[in-house]
Amino acid sequence: MRNYAFSIDLGGTSTNFSVFISDEIISEWWVPTPKDNILEMLENEIKNEIAKLKLKSTDFKAIVIGIAGIVKEGIVEKAINLNLSGCDFGGLLQSRVNIKVIVLNDVNLQALGESKDYTSLFLVTIGTGIGAALIVNGHIVEGHNGAAGEIGHIYLDSKTPEENASAVGLVQTAKNYLKSNNDYSSLRDLETFTAKDIFEQARIGDEVALKIIHEIYFKFGKLLAVICSAFDPEVIIISGGVSNAGDLLLDTINEGFMEVAFKDSEICISEMKEKAAVYGAMRIVDDLYWEI
């Protein structure tokens, strides 16, 4: 009887593994993602964990993989950080491990996990980059090319959210500001700084940090209002590393959102965080989305 399953979040830097049965996580671990031989790494990790748990491949119902890239009906159309293009990644891995493999875009998988209490939602991940996913009536919207939700590439006043609202973009925007302005900022006292540092300095009253955060995420809130006008989700959920900034981020986004929103809508910070992908895999394995 196939009862167990794997959830794998395959990122460009690290790969997170979970084994679960029903809604119980049995084991979790992560390894660095290699530049080459990704399939071999996955095969070895999967087989080693199965042996460690004293199970067999026939004990597993499925392996659900979230990949940072464009995925259309299970085919990885493009995953730049993983050097994959036009690849039936799931089929290749399935032939190695003899377990059903289902492949999705990583943010779509997270959105499926977040949708436990909603039938319609828009999930935005703000981390190294910007990702997003849309669920309508309980189903993921992939789009014609599998690129639905790629709001990080929408141009806003000559720049994209990827360029200024991501963690990398926020840091670069702050560096550019400090180079072109003489305003005092405690950020100047730091040899290097991260997005987290910018939010921390803003919290203690640094006016430059506050100004940069407000300018970027107020505009981002306006973008989310446009998304709501187009798709009318029940809720917008903010996830990713930058979401750890909490109320300072959320309040600024809400301010921009409310200035132009057609109607009020709930915007909140994800409570599931990185576990959302695992819960998404659980939903899939329970046949709530795909038939396995």
Side-chain angles (χ1 to χ4, degrees):
M1 182 70 177
R2 293 173 180 264
N3 291 318
Y4 292 87
F6 279 92
S7 172
I8 301 175
D9 188 358
L10 181 58
T13 303
S14 66
T15 301
N16 300 315
F17 294 82
S18 298
V19 174
F20 62 89
I21 180 169
S22 186
D23 60 353
E24 179 185 359
I25 298 173
I26 304 300
S27 61
E28 296 177 284
W29 74 102
W30 70 274
V31 298
T33 302
K35 292 184 178 180
D36 302 300
N37 303 318
I38 293 175
L39 282 167
E40 182 178 342
M41 177 274 288
L42 292 174
E43 178 185 2
N44 290 338
E45 291 294 326
I46 290 167
K47 288 183 175 179
N48 288 342
E49 187 65 16
I50 291 174
K52 180 180 175 182
L53 294 171
K54 297 181 180 180
L55 297 170
K56 305 182 294 294
S57 62
T58 52
D59 292 316
F60 285 79
K61 190 172 186 180
I63 298 168
V64 182
I65 303 179
I67 288 182
I70 297 174
V71 181
K72 174 68 173 177
E73 296 177 352
I75 302 299
V76 181
E77 300 292 349
K78 184 178 291 186
I80 296 174
N81 291 334
L82 299 170
N83 196 28
L84 298 174
S85 179
C87 173
D88 182 10
F89 192 81
L92 293 171
L93 181 60
Q94 185 169 319
S95 67
R96 287 171 174 251
V97 298
N98 195 32
I99 302 172
K100 173 73 174 179
V101 179
I102 297 169
V103 178
L104 294 83
N105 166 270
D106 58 345
V107 185
N108 283 345
L109 182 58
Q110 292 168 35
L112 198 57
E114 295 277 7
S115 69
K116 179 182 178 182
D117 298 319
Y118 304 98
T119 59
S120 174
L121 68 83
F122 192 69
L123 173 68
V124 181
T125 62
I126 310 176
T128 304
I130 301 284
L134 175 67
I135 289 186
V136 176
N137 296 330
H139 292 278
I140 293 170
V141 178
E142 288 188 328
H144 176 69
N145 296 302
E150 292 292 343
I151 65 169
H153 302 290
I154 296 174
Y155 276 90
L156 299 171
D157 299 336
S158 80
K159 281 194 174 184
T160 66
E162 190 91 18
E163 292 175 295
N164 57 21
S166 67
V168 173
L170 176 61
V171 169
Q172 191 57 54
T173 300
K175 287 180 177 179
N176 291 341
Y177 183 92
L178 293 173
K179 284 181 181 178
S180 58
N181 294 272
N182 295 321
D183 305 14
Y184 170 75
S185 171
S186 52
L187 293 172
R188 296 185 189 277
D189 300 329
L190 303 175
E191 186 174 343
T192 60
F193 56 82
T194 64
K196 181 180 178 181
D197 293 323
I198 296 172
F199 277 100
E200 286 180 348
Q201 295 309 309
R203 282 195 190 90
I204 60 177
D206 186 279
E207 292 186 4
V208 169
L210 283 166
K211 179 178 181 179
I212 292 169
I213 288 170
H214 186 270
E215 180 178 332
I216 289 175
Y217 295 106
F218 181 86
K219 187 182 297 183
F220 193 71
K222 288 185 174 183
L223 172 60
L224 295 183
V226 173
I227 298 297
C228 271
S229 294
F231 297 105
D232 192 24
E234 291 178 67
V235 63
I236 295 175
I237 300 176
I238 311 294
S239 188
V242 174
S243 72
N244 292 323
D247 288 345
L248 178 55
L249 173 70
L250 191 60
D251 291 347
T252 308
I253 288 175
N254 262 310
E255 186 182 348
F257 181 92
M258 292 304 298
E259 181 168 290
V260 298
F262 173 70
K263 69 174 190 62
D264 193 8
S265 185
E266 179 186 1
I267 304 177
C268 64
I269 300 292
S270 170
E271 295 182 357
M272 292 186 181
K273 302 294 185 183
E274 68 279 355
K275 286 289 193 299
V278 182
Y279 292 122
M282 288 176 179
R283 289 199 63 189
I284 291 173
V285 172
D286 283 342
D287 295 337
L288 295 179
Y289 185 69
W290 263 295
E291 298 236 349
I292 298 174

